[in-house]
Amino acid sequence: MGLPDSEMPRRQYLRGLVATGGAAALAACLEVPGSGTDVPQGDPGSRPARQHAWNDALPTDEDGNVRRPNHHALLALDLTTEPDRAASERVESAFRSLERAYAHDVAGLLFTVSYTPAYFETVGAESPVPDPEPLTSVEGEIALDGFHALVHLASDDPAVVLEAEQALLGGASEPNGVQMAADLAAVFERADPRRTGFVGSGLPVEQAEERGVDLPDELPDEAPFLMGFRSGLRESQAPEERVTIQQGPYAGGTTTHVESLSLNLRQWFEQNDQQLRIAEILSPHHAEDDVGETGEELGTSTGVFPDIADRTAADASTRGIVGHAQKTARAREDGTPLLLRRDINTLDGDRPGVHFLAHQREIADYVRARQAMAGEDLDGVGQRLNNGLLQYIFVRRRGNFVTPPRDLRALPGTDA
Ligand code: HEM
């Protein structure tokens, strides 16, 4: 892989390399001036005890909403060895090395390490999370994550995501100038699928252009998400405390659900006008003037809770249409959302999609929110038609994970 030709701006070329992955992509990335340089190193002693405690390290937008890192990889792993004390120490040492290499910051690296029920079965321990299963009647045959562990790597610098992935798998011994004391290669091997994604103003259009993926012209150039509207407003996100496990062996950790979706953007953009898109993503009570082109007028709240959420069933039967945000807000508990959503746009396989990654205290919270979103209780709308986003999104895969507190992240559930 060589450097980009002069037609393609270097910055854009660099960003697309996360999706390519591997040693060649990393080498090409590091050849690009400005990439992978001035990346702050870190101190494991200053990282929080909760792996999912990212908010303090994330910047906020002009309205005060927490913004996600720009570039992501979801690395699937399978055990290759019987876990013992030496394996556990090795795994912990690899993660500590990454923490020394990169600051706990979007300019450095944010990451979590999570485990599936299949992992717990393999090590002979009881799984704290249930097996994944289809959650709604329209899903049909979907793939279910049966690999053992998932590492979510995130940074504003694409070179950091690629380099950290290589370092964990034994392909880069000195990430950001820091010697890896160990890597995962003797304990884990890469499993399928390798998933990547991005979030940020302008990135969907830029990434699609770079990779030759054709997106509808109606998607605004500056949109942060592929469906055009911003998401993750402060008031509709669960606080980190609300998604933290309170009791039991994994107290201080969280659970993670990853739902991979493909998107029919042609239908979303070409069959609908902006007012209809707003009705379907928020509610039929929202007007273009209150929302703006990409949701920029919303500030920190969609305003659906409580009244517009309470009107969901009535809107279905009298107006024949309900919005995604109003429906899902019905799942709040005492006014607080149950999910901390850290979903990412993806063009994996050169097709538009979303890897919908959410943290919640227990998987049952995800199920509750997802069933509120499915709206199977509503009369007057179809299973998909006029039912929020359901006509445009298609579930392909699900996985359930426990994300232990940081001091238990290396091979939990073993005596090691
Ligand atoms: C392509 C897929 C999706 C898109 C584009 C999308 C977009 C949005 C948008 C624009 C909002 C309102 C703004 C905000 O985030 O603060 C929202 C809210 C929300 N979404 Fe989604 N979403 C998607 C999938 C999902 C899925 C799969 C779930 C799983 C249950 C979900 C759960 C929620 C929840 C819980 C809220 C907040 C509701 C409240 O205010 O309490 N979304 N989403």
Side-chain angles (χ1 to χ4, degrees):
M1 183 176 306
L3 281 171
D5 60 36
S6 54
E7 300 292 301
M8 185 188 288
R10 289 176 159 237
R11 199 170 53 96
Q12 283 188 25
Y13 166 79
L14 181 63
R15 289 171 167 178
L17 290 170
V18 173
T20 309
L26 174 59
C29 214
L30 292 173
E31 269 180 64
V32 178
S35 122
T37 53
D38 295 330
V39 176
Q41 295 181 347
D43 168 16
S46 67
R47 291 234 168 191
R50 297 173 179 174
Q51 292 199 73
H52 57 288
W54 289 12
N55 284 359
D56 282 348
L58 294 173
T60 48
D61 67 16
E62 60 280 10
D63 294 317
N65 299 301
V66 171
R67 90 149 170 83
R68 285 159 231 188
N70 289 149
H71 299 281
H72 301 252
L74 299 175
L75 174 60
L77 298 170
D78 270 339
L79 279 172
T80 53
T81 181
E82 186 94 3
D84 58 12
R85 181 172 297 276
S88 171
E89 284 173 2
R90 204 180 171 100
V91 168
E92 179 57 21
S93 174
F95 292 134
R96 287 202 159 240
S97 296
L98 275 195
E99 291 174 342
R100 270 192 295 280
Y102 305 109
H104 183 62
D105 193 284
V106 284
L109 177 73
L110 298 174
F111 70 98
T112 58
V113 187
S114 306
Y115 294 86
T116 60
Y119 163 86
F120 287 97
E121 192 181 334
T122 302
V123 303
E126 194 185 336
S127 174
V129 291
D131 287 329
E133 55 180 359
L135 296 181
T136 60
S137 62
V138 293
E139 286 170 38
E141 290 286 307
I142 57 167
L144 300 169
D145 287 345
F147 53 81
H148 293 147
L150 182 78
V151 182
H152 178 187
L153 301 164
S155 175
D156 278 357
D157 186 336
V160 169
V161 172
L162 276 172
E163 189 180 52
E165 180 181 7
Q166 284 299 305
L168 283 177
L169 295 171
S173 57
E174 263 190 47
N176 204 25
V178 173
Q179 182 71 37
M180 291 292 282
D183 58 48
L184 302 180
V187 181
F188 285 111
E189 64 184 4
R190 185 197 285 284
D192 283 334
R194 177 178 186 273
R195 288 175 276 193
T196 64
F198 50 88
V199 179
S201 184
L203 282 177
V205 167
E206 184 185 299
Q207 291 267 318
E209 273 174 9
E210 179 194 327
R211 295 168 60 180
V213 178
D214 198 20
L215 293 182
D217 293 340
E218 290 82 354
L219 177 62
D221 284 349
E222 289 313 309
F225 286 90
L226 281 162
M227 292 190 87
F229 295 92
R230 69 173 169 164
S231 171
L233 303 181
R234 184 177 282 278
E235 195 257 350
S236 50
Q237 286 280 52
E240 284 173 350
E241 178 64 18
R242 177 62 186 78
V243 305
T244 300
I245 299 170
Q246 301 295 301
Q247 287 167 346
Y250 297 102
T254 187
T255 75
T256 302
H257 183 88
V258 184
E259 168 172 334
S260 290
L261 301 158
S262 58
L263 303 178
N264 185 340
L265 293 182
R266 292 244 157 264
Q267 202 170 12
W268 172 246
F269 282 109
E270 290 171 8
Q271 287 184 11
N272 298 337
D273 62 15
Q274 176 76 347
Q275 184 54 54
L276 188 56
R277 285 193 287 271
I278 288 173
E280 291 190 323
I281 204 160
L282 293 164
S283 87
H285 304 278
H286 283 76
E288 264 184 84
D289 284 351
D290 318 323
V291 177
E293 195 179 29
T294 61
E296 65 277 9
E297 302 298 333
L298 291 171
T300 56
S301 170
T302 57
V304 295
F305 194 84
D307 295 347
I308 294 178
D310 285 346
R311 275 187 238 159
T312 305
D315 286 344
S317 53
T318 60
R319 297 176 176 238
I321 186 165
V322 293
H324 167 75
Q326 78 176 135
K327 262 188 306 179
T328 44
R330 297 180 299 161
R332 289 190 188 188
E333 192 175 79
D334 301 328
T336 306
L338 302 176
L339 311 189
L340 176 53
R341 293 166 287 135
R342 290 188 174 144
D343 49 297
I344 53 180
N345 302 293
T346 188
L347 293 170
D348 286 347
D350 289 338
R351 283 198 303 267
V354 169
H355 297 307
F356 192 87
L357 187 154
H359 297 303
Q360 50 284 311
R361 189 169 286 163
E362 49 181 344
I363 294 297
D365 290 337
Y366 188 85
V367 174
R368 180 168 147 186
R370 191 61 177 83
Q371 285 173 350
M373 170 178 163
E376 293 184 6
D377 56 315
L378 300 173
D379 293 326
V381 293
Q383 273 192 317
R384 290 187 182 276
L385 198 64
N386 297 331
N387 195 346
L389 302 177
L390 299 179
Q391 205 186 336
Y392 318 97
I393 67 175
F394 302 89
V395 182
R396 302 295 182 209
R397 171 178 278 275
R398 293 186 178 283
N400 287 339
F401 306 83
V402 66
T403 307
R406 187 165 155 266
D407 61 354
L408 293 178
R409 69 185 161 182
L411 305 182
T414 63
D415 295 331

